[in-house]
Amino acid sequence: MNAREAALQALCEVDQGTNLKLALGVIFERDELSEEDRALANEIAFGTLRHQEEIDQIIKETFVGDFNAADPVLKNILRLAVYQYLFLDRIPVYAVVNEAVKLGRSLKEKALINAVLRGVIRNKKVQSMREPQVWILRKILEAYPVEGERIIESFKERPTPYIRINRLKANAEIVEQKLKEMGIEFGPANWLEDFRKISRLGNLINNVLLKQGFISIHDEAQGMICRLVDPKPGERIVDLCSAPGSKATYMAELMNNHGLIVAGEVSSARLRLVVENAERLGLGIIKYLLADGRRYCLENFDKVLVDAPCTNSGVIAKRPEVKERVNKKVLARLTNLQYGLLTNAATFLRVGGSIVYSTCSILPRENEEIIERFLNENKNFELEPAKEFVPNADVYLKILPGFHGTDGVFAARLKRIK
């Protein structure tokens, strides 16, 4: 017996006049349920009973026939599912429907449960009851009607830590041996051979591996943005908003520490982080520029990375405070800043050079809409499909949180053609 079966049986016994607490107590004593299943059974049984009147009203809007006269087991299967849909946003919608259908006792009943619940889910009034109160989460659901629930669910999970191996200082075997000695579990990352997924950061923070520059703590999705830049040894590259330096240093590693990277940053304190990172990793090709990326001029660079300030809507698992700080006004201010940075950075390029615009936001207004506006107003640029440079990409590089255990990021690559 699982949690939903226990809750269903208990609710049916309540229909026969039994006290819910007593009914659940007997079930828990008779059947071996895990602590997790007991907690869920308690939550959905009591929750369903507390909200039974409004849940029944919702079901009646979809149910064909007299719901009051329906079979008691069927009624309670539907009630339990609707309660989970309305009040337990940690349970994905597909799981709510699938688990309810499993409780059906015949193919006909399973089909009926599926049809009624699909109708409830499509009900606009019911959807509005489920709508999150946090502004940015509502925007994510608007932008991703299919994936939105899964994305938001991922924000409640502990982020997966990644490390990046500095191949200028160490090979993978040495780093992996050190991780084993520290008792840190590790495995391959999704796409990039320089990265490893690890079980925890733990005492890695103060270990010589990190302090002496053999590794960096760097999310793999952020590393994919550097791969989209496709830095080559000897090239001249600008990293416009470089702090804390993860991308500038990774690009320098990919260039074998040969060429030039100008790391720009508007904050002296944050620029200091870039300096410290580069020194720790033994990288000498990075030069530093303290300035507002919208207000200086450079010429004839091969590539530019504009990793623009953003709402951080792709990294809410790491920065949960974003939910409280981002609103319509903040988004408008950021999109103005993003467009200003991109248009100025575009002047740095030689003809034939490329610019990569990226954010750790998944909102179209900060991403696709910025690129579309830029291309409309700058006919001397064209879009280079990201899939020609990195895996798991199409026209753009777009990685959604909740699908690969990484940050959510967006990036587009543009080429100056004249």
Side-chain angles (χ1 to χ4, degrees), residues 368 371-372 383 386-387 392-398 410-412:
E368 290 94 335
I371 297 302
E372 289 164 10
L383 191 62
K387 63 184 177 185
N392 195 52
D394 198 346
V395 174
Y396 300 121
L397 169 65
K398 191 169 194 175
F410 170 90

Side-chain angles (χ1 to χ4, degrees), residues 6-18:
L8 174 61
Q9 186 173 327
L11 287 180
C12 290
E13 290 181 21
V14 169
D15 287 341
Q16 299 297 318
T18 306

Side-chain angles (χ1 to χ4, degrees), residues 9 13 18 20-31:
Q9 186 173 327
E13 290 181 21
T18 306
L20 177 57
K21 186 176 179 180
L22 180 61
L24 282 169
V26 172
I27 293 168
F28 292 162
E29 189 173 328
R30 187 187 62 213
D31 293 281

